[in-house]
Each structure stands twice: as structure tokens, then as C-alpha cells.
Amino acid sequence: MKTLIIAEKPDMGRTIAAVLEPKAQNKRTYLEGERHIITWAIGHLVSLAEPDRYDSRYKRWNEADLPIIPERFKLWPNPRTNDQLKTIGELAKRCNKLVNACDAGREGQLIFHLIKQYLKLSQPVDRLWISDLTPETIRKGFDSLRSDADYENLTKAARSRSEADWLVGMNASRAFTIRHKTLLSVGRVQTPVLALLYDRHKEITAFNSETYFVVQATFAQSDMVYKGIWQGDRITQQEKAETLAAKVKGKPARIISYETNETKEYPFRLYDLTLLQREANGRYGYPAKKTLDIAQSLYEKHKVITYPRTSSNYVTEENIPVMGNVLNMLQHTQAYGQLANGADRSRVHKGNKAVCNPAKVEDHHAILPTPKKPGTLSTEEQNIYDMIVRRFLSHYYPPARYNNHEVITEVEGEQFKTRAKEQLDPGWRVVLAGHDQQESGKGKGKKKKDEQAEDQDDDLMETDRPFSVNPQDPVKCKDAKALEKATQPPKPYTEGTLLKAMESAGKSIEDDELREAMKQTGLGTPATRAATIERLKQVGYIKPSGKRLDITTKGCAAIELIRGAGVELLASPEMTGRWEQRLHQISKGEASDEQFMQKVKQFAEMIVGKVRLQPKAEASLFGETDDGRSAKGRGKASGSKSRGAGAGAGTAVATGSGRSRSTTAAAEPKVKKERVATKSRAKAAPTGQQTAASPNTPEVIAICPRPGCGGRIVEGKRGFGCMRFKEGCSFVIWKEQYGKTVTAAMAKSLITRGETRKLSFKREDGQATSGKLVLADPSSGKVVLQEMG
């Protein structure tokens, strides 16, 4: 009998067949040779079943049915690829051995084992674990196959991730949707990412720009002309700045300090997927998903780059000889021949930790070109390939060398600072071919311009011409002028900067172990981050505006409701940190998958319980889409089914792997038709600090009661919030409380006295009652109703 090899994608299967069975017969959905049959999975052929597959009553979304916690998870085939699944089942009957040739990683392990479980395959399984699809690597991989049982712990971690995401996403999405009568998708990864966008939106909305002035002087010494910035406290009055400029203009000056030092700038690290996506977005405007698709094509179809879904920026010792072969190939290309011939091979070796660092390579090494010479590539494929090749070549060149000059010039008792960066040797930067790669942020000593402190006004002068002054020679201030400046709000996220934020999420977590656990993962994985961003677009939480990503009214409302329900952990990277920490331990055999799943089930129950007690939101809170339709419908598939809160939130696309898209549509929730808000209201930002961004100074209601804060509470569109939220204060009193609208006077009373006067209320059963609103938590602004009969 033969061996059945199951690859993850068709291109990968055909490439393996070309190496192992070059004379194999092409049967369209598989290839058959003398000893092997090679077929493929086309991604997720099998997924966790939707709730209605357990019980038909789950087709209707009812609060009484929550939480949904299966005793044993059921599987369901993807109807679009069911024929391929049947093909695998039929082929397996003819084979006595299987090879798992899906992508080498946790998700590839899951894809194979869900197929194996659903089809009840009992044959022994070997595991192929490779990082590129060159013939040499494929042969070596099949020569060193290991039993799939050696990866049992990784399989347990993969299953746990998938099932845990289902439990949290499915239950949280249904709970919030049912409670607030609009489709709200919630997920372990997508919700913290949405919270990043929400918090940045709040910062921008509440930002008050301040005008200030900088005095810039132009100095001359012999034939050397340079500029300097006045050193002193920030000037906020134009008259003062102009007086200072007039004071020094045309006057003799002297150099009181001159320092120079030579520095080296080393090549940026090799690409991982997230870094490649970030730079492609900054340079070409490609969305993250597009870059991933292009890279996947270069890997599977053209075989000119190694496995792209990697989180590593380094290689192992085994990769060094192959990198030499890549260099040989590039020497014979028109585009890169000259650069490859100028490369210094001695710079890339196992002792160069900037390139070869096995300790920082887990499943896959950094993205590299392969020794295969590229054929015809599309423009977009060429752009991505070019980025990868040039990053590769840069490590065969010496560091760039600079002289850094700092001059302090004094005139009329006033001091001006000049900073100049003089290039001595471009080194590896000759490889860039005019591309400005400062956006990578991976070079030593390199700082992104948009991350420089806003008050650093001594503009750095970069030059490849000699810069030289003599401290002993006289200087003259030829000119001086007052320049008007304004403080700038934080920049809105682009896909590139959001990817970076996802990658570094968790750095602010105080728990050392959790912070370390997230160091290698952040929010999502390199392979899933693009899908997470796409998911947020699909459900109407965010929308692209040029390169910028804007959060919608519905997106803001979702975060406020999640945080307001008392399940803030859902919107925090901390939960992902805890999960990834435990999943990593499970994959290493250091923790129990059963204990992990038991705690996840308890968490899902807690979410449902908290949401059940939350006051129902007004329909107008969710605003309106740009085309005038209710935001409720965003994220639905066509027809009467909805993937938004069911399939999307509970399966990989929203919360976990991001590599599959559930095609089993969840039944649409039976919710009342929400009111459509007016356009003017839909455009209003839903934060409690919106007034702070208006041209008029907001009226201060009171001083923030949060311990240690001392900020000012101001009125916004939907609440009374602290203006120091940028420093971390989350205090806000929402205007809608227990059917009452909180006025400014009531908010002031709550803050200063801890309660309002006696008011009349209506219970949910329609009965009248009286009571007071009481400030239950001065740190958050949570308000409770104290009934008085």
C-alpha cells in the first residue's frame, strides 16, 4: 500500500510531488506516484461546529440558553470544500500510512488533526517539518520524518486554543448581542485590538493643541553655515519670541561647546511577517492581508522565498550555507547582480548574532529569498520580493558610519544648539536603492521621526557633506526668526502602526511572567493579525480612510459596553498573555490542557452572568453606517444567515488562528429592529471626553475623585470624563443610568457628595420606585441605584 501525504495547500502539495514523485499522475485533486499519493487540505476543511449543530434550539439566540458549553466539541465540514474532504477520505482507504505535511506550526497541526478526527483515520502518522519548499529542503525533511506522536503536546495546545476561542467568542458575542439587540462580535484577540483603536480615538478626540514658538538662528563661520535652536523654556507668546530673535539677529557670536563622536548603524533585522507587513503598508500602502497573500504566493507558487508566516527575525546555523547559495543565485540576476557581487560573505556566519541566533528561532526562521531564480512576477510580487532580497543583502555589507556633531553657540547671552549627522560611509545603506527604511525601527540607534518627542525642536541636520566648525574662530548670527509651532495629537493608526501595536501589546502589563509570555506573541500571531484587522472591518467596527484606520460609532460602543459590563479582561491584552503563557506550557508538556479548558469554561460562564446584569443600551448608541443603514447589519453574509457574532466571533477568524473562515453560518439573532440614529448623531464621537477637543474650553464639573489623579472632569456627548485619561485615568460617569439622564449638576453631586438627591425610577417590571444614584467606585465612575422604597 501507499503513503498518503496531506499538504496544507495545493501548490505545496504539487511542489512536494515534483520532488518525491516526479512522474506522478495528476488527478486534479491529488497526484499519485509509485509509492506516494499527495493531496491537500485547502486550509481548514473542518471546523468546530456551530451551536445549532448541538441542538436546533440554538438557531434562535436566547439569553436563557447561555452559556453554551459542549461536553464534547463536534466537528463540521466546510461545505465549500466538502468534495476535497471526501477525496482525502477515499484516498486514505488505499493507504496504510499518513504524512502530515501541513504548515509546520500550531495551526498546521490543528488543520491536519481535525481532518484526521472527522474522517476517523487510524493509520500511523509521520510529521514533515520544513520552512521552505526548495527541493533540497523537501528531500531533507522527508529523510528526517518524525512520528506525529512526538508533536502530541503541540496538538493539545492547538485544540485548546481553538476550543477556548469558540467558548469565549461564541458566548460573549451572543450574550452582548442578545442583551443590546444589535450584532456585536467579541473575541479574545479582536476585542483588545479594537480597544487599542478606541483608546487612540479618545486621545485624539480629547487633545487640546497648544501653540508655541521656536527661535531659530542661522550662523556663519568662514564658508560654513549652520542653524541652531534657542535653548530655554518653551515660549508661548509670539511677542517674546520675536523680541528674542531681534535681539540676536546680526550680532557676533561664539562657540562655547563643540562635541563630535563617531557612531555605527547596523543593518535592520531580517524580516518576520509582521515587520514585512508594516513596511509594505508604509511604503506601498498594502493592507496587511494583501502583503500576506503576496508573500504566500511568492512562497507557494513561485518558491522564491521561505515560509512567510514566521515570528522570527533570525536564522539558525543550518541556514548559513543556504544563504550562500542564495547569494550565488543573485549574482547572476540583472537586478541584484552588482549588489551581490559587492557582498562580503565573511559577514554572515554563525557568530553574527544579529543574523544567526538559534535561541530566538522557534518554529520558523526569518523570511529569506530561496536559491530559486525568480521568473515573471507581478508588480506587487516584485515589490515584496525586492524588499526581502534587499534586507537579505544588507547583512553582507558593513555598518553605515556617521559623525555626530553637537554645537552650542552663544550670542548676546543666549544659547543655541545645533545637531548634525554627517555620513562618513553609507555601508549597507547602498543596498536600499533610495528606499527610506526608517519605518522599520529595527536598526540600532535608529529612531522613527514620528516617534520623536514633540518638544525636540533642535532639528537634526543629516548630510553627506563635511561638517566642521572651529570653536576658536568667531561666528556671526546672520539671521534669526520666530517659528510658530503647535503640539500635535497622537497619530491615528494605520494598518502598519496597528500591526506594531499588536506585536508589542502587553509591554505595559505589570506581571513579569505575563509580559514575558506576550513578548513573543503580542496580540495574535504573525499569521493571524491580518485576518483580525479584516474581521474588524467586516463587522463594521473600523473603516479605512486612506491609510488611516478609523473606529466607527459601533466600534466605540462595543468597547464601552464590554468594559462597562465588568469584563474588562476581554478588552485587555492580559487575557491573551495568560492564554499564550498556558498554551506554550501545554505545547511543552508542562501544563494540563484539561485544567486550562476548565478555567476557560468558568470564564465563559462569568461573562454571560455579567452581561445579563448590564443595563440595555439604547439602539441609537450604535449609530449609522455611511450609506445610511443601521450599523446592526454590518458584518453579515448575504442572505438570512449571519456570520458576525456566531461563526466570526467563535471561530479562528475572529479570535484565534485567523487562517480559516467559518463557512457554517450561525443563525441570525432574533433581535428587535433598532432605531436609526440621525446623521448628525452618528458622526458624533461616543467618548465621554469629546468636549475637550472643541475650540471652546470645556466647563470643569469637578476634580476627578480617582485616588492620586486630580484631573478635571468635563462633560462630553455621552458622559462626564476625566481629561487625564491620556495618563491612564479611566474615570467616567455615563449619562444614561437606570433610565435617567445624568445632568452636570447630578454628576457634580455624585463626585463631591457620592450620591444624588432622591429621584423617581421605574423598574423593568414597570413599577415605580424611588432612590438615589450612588457613586459605587470612585476609581472608575461606576454608578449604582440605591432604592429607597
Side-chain angles (χ1 to χ4, degrees), residues 291-340:
T291 299
L292 174 57
D293 291 343
I294 295 170
Q296 201 68 27
S297 174
L298 291 171
Y299 167 65
E300 290 184 353
K301 180 181 176 182
H302 299 285
K303 287 91 177 175
V304 294
I305 68 169
T306 59
Y307 183 72
R309 298 170 185 258
T310 176
S311 59
S312 177
N313 304 103
Y314 302 94
V315 302
T316 64
E317 295 177 14
E318 289 78 12
N319 300 123
I320 301 297
V322 180
M323 292 173 72
N325 295 337
V326 174
L327 199 59
N328 293 338
M329 178 274 294
L330 292 173
Q331 286 177 330
H332 296 91
T333 62
Q334 183 176 354
Y336 308 108
Q338 185 175 351
L339 289 172

Side-chain angles (χ1 to χ4, degrees), residues 193-315:
V193 173
L194 182 61
L196 290 174
L197 289 150
Y198 173 82
D199 291 338
R200 177 62 58 87
H201 165 76
K202 281 180 65 180
E203 288 185 75
I204 295 170
T205 303
F207 185 81
N208 276 319
S209 181
E210 297 178 0
T211 300
Y212 64 100
F213 297 87
V214 171
V215 179
Q216 183 187 76
T218 303
F219 299 101
Q221 184 186 72
S222 300
D223 59 347
M224 187 70 200
V225 177
Y226 61 95
K227 294 180 179 180
I229 300 295
W230 179 75
Q231 301 299 289
D233 295 336
R234 175 173 286 183
I235 302 173
T236 56
Q237 297 176 350
Q238 184 174 2
E239 184 180 356
K240 181 179 179 181
E242 291 177 345
T243 299
L244 180 57
K247 175 184 176 182
V248 300
K249 184 176 180 180
K251 300 296 176 62
R254 65 189 183 99
I255 295 174
I256 62 172
S257 173
Y258 177 37
E259 295 180 0
T260 181
N261 67 292
E262 185 176 321
T263 58
K264 294 180 179 179
E265 183 183 80
Y266 291 87
F268 301 132
R269 293 174 189 168
L270 294 168
Y271 282 120
D272 60 17
L273 177 59
T274 301
L275 182 57
L276 180 67
Q277 289 169 318
R278 282 169 44 198
E279 292 197 15
N281 180 255
R283 186 179 301 171
Y284 300 114
Y286 294 166
K289 184 181 183 302
K290 182 172 187 175
T291 299
L292 174 57
D293 291 343
I294 295 170
Q296 201 68 27
S297 174
L298 291 171
Y299 167 65
E300 290 184 353
K301 180 181 176 182
H302 299 285
K303 287 91 177 175
V304 294
I305 68 169
T306 59
Y307 183 72
R309 298 170 185 258
T310 176
S311 59
S312 177
N313 304 103
Y314 302 94
V315 302

Side-chain angles (χ1 to χ4, degrees), residues 77-96:
N78 182 335
R80 291 186 301 173
T81 54
N82 203 24
D83 288 345
Q84 183 64 17
L85 184 63
K86 289 178 181 177
T87 297
I88 294 175
E90 292 299 318
L91 294 174
K93 294 175 183 177
R94 299 168 46 201
C95 300
N96 63 353

Side-chain angles (χ1 to χ4, degrees), residues 510-779:
E510 294 183 5
D511 187 292
D512 291 339
E513 290 187 12
L514 286 183
R515 191 166 59 248
E516 187 63 26
M518 291 198 70
K519 199 178 201 179
Q520 300 299 323
T521 59
L523 287 171
T525 66
T528 67
R529 289 179 185 131
T532 298
I533 295 173
E534 290 302 307
R535 177 64 187 162
L536 291 173
K537 295 176 186 175
Q538 290 165 10
V539 297
Y541 285 161
I542 65 174
K543 60 182 180 182
S545 178
K547 285 188 177 182
R548 190 176 74 233
L549 291 176
D550 291 336
I551 188 168
T552 64
T553 304
K554 182 182 180 184
C556 288
I559 291 299
E560 290 169 355
L561 289 170
I562 290 166
R563 288 174 170 171
V567 287
E568 296 90 342
L569 198 60
L570 271 175
S572 166
E574 183 178 342
M575 186 174 78
T576 287
R578 291 187 186 280
W579 281 29
E580 288 299 337
Q581 181 185 45
R582 190 66 66 212
L583 290 170
H584 181 74
Q585 291 171 343
I586 293 170
S587 71
K588 300 296 182 184
E590 299 168 358
S592 166
D593 56 323
E594 293 179 358
Q595 291 180 6
F596 170 75
M597 289 305 301
Q598 187 58 40
K599 290 185 177 179
V600 172
K601 290 174 183 177
Q602 292 170 0
F603 183 59
E605 290 175 352
M606 184 270 285
I607 293 170
V608 171
K610 293 265 191 181
V611 177
R612 192 171 279 140
L613 298 175
Q614 189 175 35
K616 294 178 181 178
E618 291 288 336
S620 58
L621 175 70
F622 303 101
E624 181 179 80
T625 61
D626 289 341
D627 57 6
R629 292 182 292 110
S630 164
K632 167 186 169 184
R634 294 294 295 271
K636 293 181 184 176
S638 60
S640 62
K641 301 286 185 181
S642 165
R643 292 171 55 190
T651 60
V653 101
T655 59
S657 77
R659 296 167 59 187
S660 72
R661 294 183 180 179
S662 172
T663 54
T664 308
E668 182 179 347
K670 307 301 180 183
V671 296
K672 293 180 182 177
K673 195 166 186 177
E674 62 182 283
R675 295 198 310 268
V676 177
T678 61
K679 288 189 177 182
S680 60
R681 186 160 185 177
K683 292 178 180 177
T687 65
Q689 289 80 19
Q690 185 184 7
T691 312
S694 65
N696 301 319
T697 304
E699 180 182 352
V700 177
I701 304 298
I703 299 301
C704 181
R706 187 179 185 190
C709 178
R712 296 171 294 169
I713 302 297
V714 295
E715 182 178 3
K717 286 285 184 184
R718 296 182 42 248
F720 302 87
C722 181
M723 294 188 71
R724 294 194 64 184
F725 70 89
K726 205 192 304 189
E727 286 77 43
C729 183
S730 57
F731 180 90
V732 61
I733 295 175
W734 302 114
K735 288 185 176 180
E736 297 299 322
Q737 300 280 357
Y738 301 93
K740 288 286 185 184
T741 299
V742 177
T743 64
M746 291 165 66
K748 183 175 181 179
S749 180
L750 281 165
I751 294 168
T752 57
R753 297 175 51 241
E755 61 183 22
T756 64
R757 59 181 174 80
K758 188 175 179 180
L759 303 166
S760 60
F761 296 86
K762 274 192 177 181
R763 297 194 183 102
E764 287 193 0
D765 61 5
Q767 294 295 315
T769 185
S770 61
K772 296 179 179 180
L773 293 178
V774 176
L775 184 62
D777 185 0
S779 63

Side-chain angles (χ1 to χ4, degrees), residues 264-279 310-314 353-355 360 366 387 391 394-395 428-429 432 436-451 496 499-504 507 519-521 526 529:
K264 294 180 179 179
E265 183 183 80
Y266 291 87
F268 301 132
R269 293 174 189 168
L270 294 168
Y271 282 120
D272 60 17
L273 177 59
T274 301
L275 182 57
L276 180 67
Q277 289 169 318
R278 282 169 44 198
E279 292 197 15
T310 176
S311 59
S312 177
N313 304 103
Y314 302 94
K353 295 300 181 184
V355 177
K360 294 189 177 182
M387 291 174 65
R391 182 61 58 93
S394 69
H395 286 275
W428 62 273
R429 284 192 163 270
L432 300 187
D436 180 9
Q437 294 194 2
Q438 286 198 63
E439 68 269 16
S440 73
K442 291 288 184 183
K444 295 180 181 178
K446 204 70 181 169
K447 189 173 185 180
K448 287 173 61 179
K449 290 181 180 179
D450 62 0
E451 290 181 352
L499 285 167
K500 182 179 181 182
M502 293 170 71
E503 186 178 41
S504 60
K507 286 186 176 179
K519 199 178 201 179
Q520 300 299 323
T521 59
R529 289 179 185 131

Side-chain angles (χ1 to χ4, degrees), residues 6 39 41 62 123 181 185 309 337 364 373 426 513 579 641 737 742 748 758 786 789:
I6 302 176
T39 189
N62 295 311
Q123 296 92 328
K181 295 182 171 56
S185 179
R309 298 170 185 258
H364 302 283
K373 192 172 182 179
E513 290 187 12
W579 281 29
K641 301 286 185 181
Q737 300 280 357
V742 177
K748 183 175 181 179
K758 188 175 179 180
Q786 185 180 85

